[in-house]
Amino acid sequence: MSETTTALPVVVIGAGPAGLAAAAHLVDRGIEPLVLEAGPTAGTAVREWAHVRLFSRWGEVVDPAAEKLLAPTGWVKPAEDTYPSGGDWATRYLQPLADALGDRVRYDARVTGVSRTGRDRIVDADRDAKPFVVHYESTDGREHRVQARAVIDASGTWSTPNPAGGSGLAALGEKAAADRITYRLPDLKDPSVRARYTGRRTAVIGSGASAFTALAYLADLAKADDGQGTRATWILRRGISGSTFGGAEADQLPARGALGLAAKAAVDGGYADAVTGFRTDAFERDGDGRLVLVAEDGRRLDAVDEVIALTGFRPDLSFLDELRLGLDERLQAPVELAPLIDPNQHSCGTVYPHGVKELSHPEQGLYLVGMKSYGRAPTFLALTGYEQVRSVVAAIAGDHDAAERVELVLPETGVCGGAGLFDQPTTDETAEGGCCAPAPQLISLGAHAPAPACGS
């Protein structure tokens, strides 16, 4: 890399937890960052789930380099053993950190493309010596361009939720039913949002922490004085197994384990029916305008008033199209990282802490970090992102020993995280309490929960 190129800033895409931590590490290394944030504030995506409490404590969601940068500002770190909400995280940590970075953060700057100066993805000649060029748009429609010595994409996946359809595509009628579907965890403390679900039947699609939280929220609403008649139908693509409700008491992140227990209590208490082995193929309307979910196998559920689709997220790779990415064909995660996080293969234990080696691409100087680095894989921890950016920034600075060093020990999940293919049949391992899901089936859980009606 030429002396002219090294004088350029490192462009960081996204002013979320991983992006701002990357900027803090760059400053600590004496390298100038430029953070481009599509939203109007730091942590714009985090603020959209401000009402949700993290299952990590404050001590696990503050990056050390960021804390060092904040110290001269008089910032006081919250008690390490308490749990922030998304709103707390954004206002008490992310925004102060962005403020400390000052003009290095540009808001309302949506990145529209990244390439090499004078080189599209086809051209080999002198490619690695050319600086990156980043195009972005401001909210007034003006176009901007900036050069960079390296690019760290920490834009996350929040803007691109997966559809409810079981094939990875939107189910038939899903777009037309958008007025009754949300892909975010609703804030039931908001009176207008609460009214949307009160006294109604809601389908919750998904099997992760967000789905657990939605079931617990709806159960709390059903038990409230104003919530009479509120019910949920929980739709799972898999069957029920010992790992369905997460790690429970075995999870070293106790609040994460508690989410699964809360969901189980909602089901056991009769506030939710569970339908297993159901892959949504279509949304239809009944005579009252309610939604009827139809499975790939033709099963039809009783009509619901609302749908909360919590089926995960996927990365937006469109603005990286002129770069040479090395992505796993299934997960859309870096090829070296994918085997560590692939839910088709993983059973129990943790994801091994990783850094620049697993995050590198054929395009030298480009790194996907944070949730975006996981592609379509679920369950990302802030600690993982902070270790990623520490290693990546060390590599950019030329400190290869630090880049290759592992400085993180992750807590055990206590859960068999997504082992086996979704459609994998029952095996002897399942009978022994192993990690593989049983064959899909239609069941009802809960002491007072009637079985959901299914048509022919």
Side-chain angles (χ1 to χ4, degrees), residues 107-279:
Y107 300 110
D108 298 318
R110 181 174 298 279
V111 173
T112 58
V114 184
S115 186
R116 291 281 188 176
T117 301
R119 301 288 186 271
D120 61 21
R121 66 184 299 165
I122 299 175
V123 179
D124 292 332
D126 205 26
R127 184 179 190 86
D128 293 340
K130 296 294 183 181
F132 289 92
V133 58
V134 181
H135 288 218
Y136 66 96
E137 292 182 356
S138 51
T139 52
D140 59 8
R142 288 186 299 166
E143 296 179 311
H144 307 267
R145 180 172 58 200
V146 63
Q147 290 187 325
R149 62 181 288 186
V151 174
I152 300 175
D153 183 357
S155 59
T157 58
W158 180 256
S159 64
T160 47
N162 289 328
S167 63
L169 303 174
L172 295 180
E174 184 171 345
K175 293 179 182 178
D179 61 318
R180 291 181 179 264
I181 304 175
T182 181
Y183 301 89
R184 306 287 192 265
L185 192 63
D187 182 3
L188 297 186
K189 293 181 180 179
D190 182 317
S192 63
V193 176
R194 187 179 183 88
R196 178 174 174 176
Y197 299 93
T198 299
R200 298 184 175 185
R201 179 175 284 275
T202 298
V204 177
I205 306 175
S207 58
S210 295
F212 293 165
T213 305
L215 292 170
Y217 281 4
L218 291 169
D220 287 343
L221 176 57
K223 289 181 280 188
D225 292 340
D226 64 343
Q228 186 175 2
T230 303
R231 289 195 62 80
T233 298
W234 185 21
I235 298 174
L236 300 98
R237 295 172 180 171
R238 291 188 177 197
I240 296 290
S241 71
S243 64
T244 295
F245 294 101
E249 294 90 346
D251 198 322
Q252 288 188 17
L253 292 177
R256 181 171 57 188
L259 288 176
L261 294 176
K264 188 174 189 301
V267 174
D268 289 345
Y271 301 105
D273 307 320
V275 182
T276 64
F278 192 99
R279 292 178 172 275

Side-chain angles (χ1 to χ4, degrees), residues 70-81:
L70 283 164
T73 70
W75 179 77
V76 177
K77 185 177 181 179
E80 291 198 358
D81 60 349

Side-chain angles (χ1 to χ4, degrees), residues 278-360:
F278 192 99
R279 292 178 172 275
T280 306
D281 185 63
F283 289 86
E284 298 178 358
R285 300 267 187 175
D286 69 2
D288 297 323
R290 303 171 79 206
L291 295 182
V292 176
L293 278 66
V294 183
E296 291 176 352
D297 60 11
R299 283 183 291 165
R300 303 167 65 87
L301 301 183
D302 279 348
V304 298
D305 300 286
E306 302 287 342
V307 174
I308 303 174
L310 302 170
T311 51
F313 298 84
R314 60 184 61 181
D316 177 7
L317 301 168
S318 60
F319 58 84
L320 301 177
D321 194 49
E322 287 303 317
L323 298 176
R324 298 175 178 182
L325 304 179
L327 297 176
D328 179 77
E329 61 185 8
R330 294 166 298 170
L331 293 185
Q332 295 179 297
V335 291
E336 294 291 331
L337 175 60
L340 302 179
I341 61 176
D342 189 349
N344 287 302
Q345 299 176 9
H346 270 267
S347 54
C348 306
T350 64
V351 174
Y352 184 82
H354 52 275
V356 68
K357 176 179 179 292
E358 293 82 6
L359 298 171
S360 295

